[in-house]
Amino acid sequence: MMKVIELHASATASNDLDAAALREELKDRGILLINLMSSPGSGKTTLLSRLIRDFQGKLRIAVLEADIASKVDAETIASLGAVSQQVHTDGMCHMDAGMTEEGLRHMDLDGIDVVFLENVGNLICPAEFDTGAHKNLMLLSIPEGDDKPLKYPLMFQKSDALALTKTDALPYFPFDIEKATERAKHLNPDVSIFPVSAKTGDGMRDLEDWILESLRELRHA
């Protein structure tokens, strides 16, 4: 005789509790945690490098680098003078709250204003797990195409902000910013969208203002 078990609780309920606790702990310390999600090659490390340079003397930034292997990105960030910690996910395609907390334990966060979690590069798994971040920032690069919201809706639904990166490549790729914006807004009307080029600096001020405002909101909540 087969027995059917009805599951009414989320399979990620335990992770959600851990995420809520981590979020509150960081808030109490006045530290904003931003989860960066995107496909590989979208320009996460390049964008972070630009932010670190632009915020120099204004914000203290730390970066938690998540990869399946290697430490290339963490070394790049550390060379810019930011606090950097590499974590390997042992083959897993995402970070969750427990993994994020473990990585943060190995970082000196005294005096840090903003921590960026550079999540594992793909458009599926990272959207499914709460990392404990206060904000989710998704990157979609111009070479990837403007149809990604149609293919990976959950990622767009979970994001507080969307950076359309590598806008300096617009002359070379058939990417329609208005169409991408419309598709993203259809999935998530509240998402903030920033067309940017970390290479030229175009659009970076608006994204940086969003980060500063997010930090102010956290500290005055």
Side-chain angles (χ1 to χ4, degrees):
M1 180 178 177
M2 182 181 68
K3 183 178 181 181
V4 177
I5 300 175
E6 300 286 348
L7 296 177
H8 298 289
S10 169
T12 59
S14 177
N15 181 71
D16 292 344
L17 290 173
D18 292 341
L22 177 58
R23 201 160 19 247
E24 191 63 24
E25 177 186 341
L26 291 172
K27 178 180 178 295
D28 289 343
R29 297 181 65 178
I31 299 173
L32 175 70
L33 176 59
I34 299 178
N35 177 27
L36 266 62
M37 302 183 292
S38 76
S39 60
S42 66
K44 291 193 296 297
T45 305
T46 302
L47 182 74
L48 284 172
S49 298
R50 180 79 194 208
L51 290 171
I52 290 167
R53 290 194 296 268
D54 287 355
F55 278 132
Q56 191 169 13
K58 302 174 185 176
L59 290 180
R60 285 204 64 201
I61 291 175
V63 180
L64 184 60
E65 291 282 355
D67 282 300
I68 293 175
S70 91
K71 56 179 181 178
V72 174
D73 291 341
E75 289 175 340
T76 298
I77 296 301
S79 72
L80 298 172
V83 175
S84 177
Q85 177 65 51
Q86 182 74 58
V87 294
H88 289 162
T89 61
D90 195 27
M92 297 186 70
C93 60
H94 67 275
M95 290 285 285
D96 62 21
M99 297 162 72
T100 302
E101 183 178 14
E102 179 66 20
L104 293 175
R105 276 202 205 103
H106 293 273
M107 304 176 74
D108 181 6
L109 298 181
D110 288 342
I112 293 295
D113 299 298
V114 182
V115 177
F116 290 96
L117 165 60
E118 185 172 346
N119 215 317
V120 181
N122 75 86
L123 295 178
I124 302 174
C125 306
E128 299 175 348
F129 291 86
D130 191 342
T131 61
H134 302 102
K135 297 289 184 179
N136 289 320
L137 170 59
M138 180 191 171
L139 277 61
L140 173 62
S141 67
I142 299 306
E144 292 177 79
D146 53 40
D147 60 350
K148 287 298 180 291
L150 304 176
K151 298 178 178 180
Y152 305 97
L154 184 62
M155 179 66 75
F156 291 85
Q157 291 167 348
K158 293 288 187 178
S159 297
D160 299 290
L162 169 63
L164 301 176
T165 60
K166 305 185 183 181
T167 55
D168 51 285
L170 275 168
Y172 311 105
F173 294 92
F175 189 103
D176 189 323
I177 287 185
E178 288 187 9
K179 193 172 290 184
T181 298
E182 179 183 340
R183 289 167 172 169
K185 287 284 190 179
H186 177 73
L187 293 167
N188 183 354
D190 296 325
V191 68
S192 300
I193 299 179
F194 304 100
V196 300
S197 169
K199 179 179 179 181
T200 66
D202 288 347
M204 290 298 298
R205 173 63 70 86
D206 289 339
L207 176 59
E208 290 162 3
D209 285 347
W210 177 81
I211 293 169
L212 289 171
E213 181 59 28
S214 297
L215 180 60
R216 281 193 289 267
E217 288 177 359
L218 175 83
R219 289 180 171 175
H220 291 92

